[in-house]
Amino acid sequence: MFAFNTQLELRRITISSLITCIYLPSIVTVISYRGSLYYVGKGSSFYILVLIFIAELLKSFYLSAPNDIQGKKGKTSKTKASDVLKSFVFLLGVNFCFFIGIILFGAPVLDLHEETLMLSTLLTILTIFPLILHSGVECSMQLLFGVKSFARDTVVEMLVNNAMLTVCGAWLGAVVIPLDWNTPWQQWPIPCYLGAIGGYLLANVLTVFKATLMTAAYKYPAVNFLVMILNKLRVSK
Amino acid sequence: MMTGSVSTFADVALNFGAPAVRGDSVLRVAASRGRRTVMYGDDTWIRLFPGLWSEYDGTTSFFVTDYTEVDNNVTRHLDKVLAPDEKKQPKFDLLVLHYLGLDHIGHLEGARSTKIKPKLVEMDEIVKKIYVAMQKWDRNGILIVCGDHGMRDAGGHGGSTPAEVLVPLVVIKSQDFECPHPLGPGPTVAQVDVAPTISWLLNAPPPGDSTGRILPSLLPADTRQHLYLLHIIAERMAKQNDLPTDKEFYKQFERAENQFAHYLATGQQSAAKISKEFYEQSLAEMTEYLNGTTVDFDMFSIVVAIILLYFIVASLLCVTLYSLQPDHSRKHSTTKRGYQSSNAGRIVAFLFMLCLSGSGLIVACFITETKSQLCSFNGLWLPVLLVVAAAFTITYFIMKTGIERIKNLSSLNELNAIDFLLIGGTVFHAWSFFGTSFIEEEHMTWYFFWNTFMFFVLIRSIVVVVMYWSKKMTGATEVQEKPGLDEKMSAVGISIVPKWVLLIALHRYLRTMNQTGDRWLFLPDTADWLNEPENSLYLELHVIIGTIMTVLICVHNLVYTNNLMYIHTALTAAAATCTFCYRVATHAVHAPFEDMKTWDPIIIVSVFWGILMAQFIYEIITYVGFFKSCGVHPAEHAMNSKKFDYVKPKTKTEDYIYDPTIEEPWNVEEVKLNLARSLSHLMLNNMMLVILLLMRPHNVVMVPSVYITCVVSSKCVDHKLLDRRSARNTDVADVLSRTLVHMWIGILFFFYQGNSNSLASVDLGSGYVGLREYSPVRVATRMGLHAYAGPALAGAVLFCTLAAEARDWQQYLKSIWRATNILALHRVYAVVLYTVIATIFRHHLFVWSVFSPKLLYDFVATVFGVQALATIGYIIFLTHVTSWLARVLITRSGLR
């Protein structure tokens, strides 16, 4: 998956993914203990989104912090205000696109808008938001449409992988909705919501796993075989 | 109900012909006792029990569009038959009245129809009339009112929801009757209880197959009689062959017998009480046991059939893979066949394998010691055994040659992610039936697959378009170097993305049109909303938009036909006008012209059929060149349209006569291809128009939607969409993905239209469009075409696209061959897996409601698939015949 450039980058990726692996399950555990797991679609659970938002923000600061040290600090701070505004507008646009897309792919049209909006916001935060934080609006747009290749940038590749698995998770979450188990969590949009979180989590776990293997491959070349297998799995996009 | 026995799940499929009941029934025992039985109503009764009625007047039950006539037919006899004769005795012993009106209203308008209330009041009046008449008799009369089935809110029946299975049963006795049950809803009794009760009331023995009991409310008050009746019934049941004597209920029965004897000897009331209790317990358990075990399958035959189907799937797979090879390697392998053994050797090998499989079957027969009829080796079954063995052998040889000749599957390397999604989805779908809810909610599986497919294609097309634009903007040399790329992109165009988004929106809308399946059936859908009287304007809008779109598509398709003097256009327009008139005449659409409403829909439909026929005949005649002799020259028109080079034969006719060594100096192949094109497009057009006629008003928009979806998505799955290596040969992959996509679209629209895997969703009304009376074949074809409108249309579009895009006749044949192979493989694959599943779950609780209707649907789908393949074969055959005819005609004219 990663043509590892520097040991440092690899370590940063590992640590940030590890943080995700810790904070996301703990959030889910806490809300399920508080008994509000079945209300994730309601507006009252907006604080979960805020928590994830803040966590992603902090993570991205950690991820891109050394870049700032390397220079260009003045340049970034100059355009900061307009950048923030631009990315905010862009995020809203993406959110709206997700909203429309989810409705087109089968969410209720006339009611449950609140739930759909929550799901689309979650998807936006988990997929596009880290990309924007890392590489800015224009660059992430180019990345989205496949104009710019991301083969060289390990961090971006990780983020894109995360985004893809998140969407896949939300997509697969919808499978359980029509089954006749009559459980309370089969309500729209709980399976998709949890599926998105699960997909994101899975992507991060995979990243940690891969990074660990690669580190181990330094010492034990035999492990390279496993890394190759994992790479093969990833190629079929 | 009349035999008192329990039927098995295969009976659902067999019941439609409704042959006469050969076993014992209430009517047979009544007739043997010389009872007078009278029947008015549904003529299914007469067909079920022929010759057992003393007097009858049947009404055809299948003409559903008629609400009042069927009931008046029954009621008109009532006064005469109910009037007592001079001795104050009624003229009959058993009178069966079967009223059909309510069922028909339910089928056509649903449970919320405004016509239901007056009909129920009418029925109430009839019950009152009968009761009053019964009071006048000098004999005790009993009136049983019950329904033969329940109804869903949508109006269908055949599922297993409580609303469909539970019906009220009302028992009215004219004299000295006291209801043993408290007021309100009484207990639930089994349907099998009705038959023994009636036969007991008729003083006749219960029917032989009966497993029921006598209704408790009708049992006599006298303890001795009561117990004796219980004893008779219980003894009959205990004597049945397959009842084990070591079970608890049999011992209970023996105890009860002892107590009964004790009571008869001593007259102790306590003994009577105990005996009654014991009898009832053992009866209940025996009934349950018998109902559970009456299902008896010929497992050996089923297993043999499944293995045979499995072999057929394997051989079809081989054939399909063989047909998917790229062309050159196929020729190579066929030329190398020379070294193979002679014909005699092959026959010997065939006979040897035949003997081997036959003896294998026979050995299997003896090893399993089965009682199967297949192994009875007598008369009728011996040929069947031989045919089975021969089928095994043939499939074996097909597989063998297939495996030998499959050498080059490199064309499958061109498959991309979307193709893998299509293949994987198709394969997985058949396995999903292991869960019953996946059968009930099969549409969900398909909706999910289709959504995933649309998502993939959306991403792909966005990526393609954006990459193309960015390359063009940045002025990369790539674009200039490859003009083909530019051309390809402009052929598909930037508009593909908005088109695709609009298509997604369209599908989102169509999905809400009809709620189907089982669990969410009750939810209101768009169709319900449209059918409300206050929204009739929108409904009309749907009808008009659907019709106009279809006509536009049809006229567009006429490009492929020999549209001489715009006769085809005129005919199409006339046919469409007919459908529109039909809508007006059936009051689905309001028209400004008042007298149009009074036109007879049946005549309109007849005219419609005439026009469609005329179109086909006209087309073939033009191709034969008939009009040339009439002074009309198709030549100029054909030249103008540039589609048909049929002029060539005219100019070269002389060559043909004078130089017979040149086999085909003019382009027979091309003409054949053109004819195949035009015939398949005509078939598509006519099918669309027919389905337009059959569809319910709110579903009319489905017809153009199928076409649009097919066209847009087959454009999107094109493998050469922005391809850098344009030299790639993607024919095979294109055919594969297109076939699968069209199949998916067909199934999708099958569900959009409101069908499901339950018999309740079959629309009976569509069978009677333009028919004055019941005719089984016509009604069945109409109903089938209506139910399978989506698959039929999608298949027709597929074959049209294949014909339109073929470069030459050979390629056309090849792609058709590949597509038919894939379709057949899928069909048989689905059937074999489903039969395995149905066999595994044959004792499942849902056998009746879920598995057997699905089996029936699968069967009908297979029949229609065979029919579709036959149609394609017919078109090809027709082209051959026509070209031969044309040659003959031209030769004649040349000689003259």
Side-chain angles (χ1 to χ4, degrees), chain A residues 84-185:
Chain A
V84 167
L85 193 68
K86 206 160 59 175
S87 40
F88 190 70
V89 171
F90 184 66
L91 274 183
L92 274 185
V94 169
N95 197 349
F96 187 69
C97 285
F98 267 121
F99 185 72
I100 297 292
I102 292 168
I103 284 185
L104 279 184
F105 283 122
V109 187
L110 296 176
D111 46 355
L112 300 179
H113 281 161
E114 188 184 328
E115 282 81 354
T116 313
L117 194 64
M118 293 298 276
L119 178 61
S120 65
T121 316
L122 177 81
L123 284 177
T124 318
I125 290 176
L126 288 186
T127 54
I128 308 295
F129 181 58
L131 261 177
I132 289 181
L133 282 180
H134 184 257
S135 48
V137 174
E138 284 92 1
C139 192
S140 58
M141 262 164 101
Q142 285 171 346
L143 280 170
L144 264 185
F145 293 127
V147 177
K148 198 170 164 186
S149 149
F150 48 78
R152 292 291 144 73
D153 197 338
T154 321
V155 179
V156 170
E157 199 178 342
M158 177 199 80
L159 292 178
V160 170
N161 259 325
N162 283 357
M164 273 173 49
L165 273 182
T166 311
V167 174
C168 282
W171 193 263
L172 289 179
V175 171
V176 295
I177 296 179
L179 298 182
D180 60 350
W181 301 335
N182 294 323
T183 50
W185 49 264

Side-chain angles (χ1 to χ4, degrees), chain B residues 306-316 391-392 395-396 399 832:
Chain B
I306 287 174
I307 294 173
L308 183 61
L309 274 175
Y310 178 76
F311 267 72
I312 292 174
V313 168
S315 60
L316 266 177
F392 270 118
T395 50
Y396 167 76
M399 268 193 282
V832 70

Side-chain angles (χ1 to χ4, degrees), chain A residues 102-109 144-147 167 171-172 174-175 177-182 186 237, chain B residues 417 437-438 440-441 444 448 451-452 454-455 458 462-463 466-467 470 501 504-505 508 511-512 519-520:
Chain A
I102 292 168
I103 284 185
L104 279 184
F105 283 122
V109 187
L144 264 185
F145 293 127
V147 177
V167 174
W171 193 263
L172 289 179
V175 171
I177 296 179
L179 298 182
D180 60 350
W181 301 335
N182 294 323
Q186 275 176 305
K237 195 170 96 174
Chain B
S437 64
F438 278 111
E440 281 173 331
E441 314 287 336
M444 287 289 179
F448 185 75
N451 267 344
T452 318
M454 288 203 291
F455 183 64
L458 179 71
I462 287 178
V463 164
V466 170
M467 274 175 81
S470 69
V501 173
I504 295 175
R508 182 72 188 85
R511 216 175 310 152
T512 60
R519 217 178 130 198
W520 284 281

Side-chain angles (χ1 to χ4, degrees), chain B residues 547-563:
Chain B
T547 315
I548 289 175
M549 291 290 285
T550 315
V551 173
L552 289 182
I553 291 168
C554 285
V555 171
H556 171 73
N557 278 342
L558 289 180
V559 172
Y560 295 102
T561 62
N562 204 351
N563 197 352

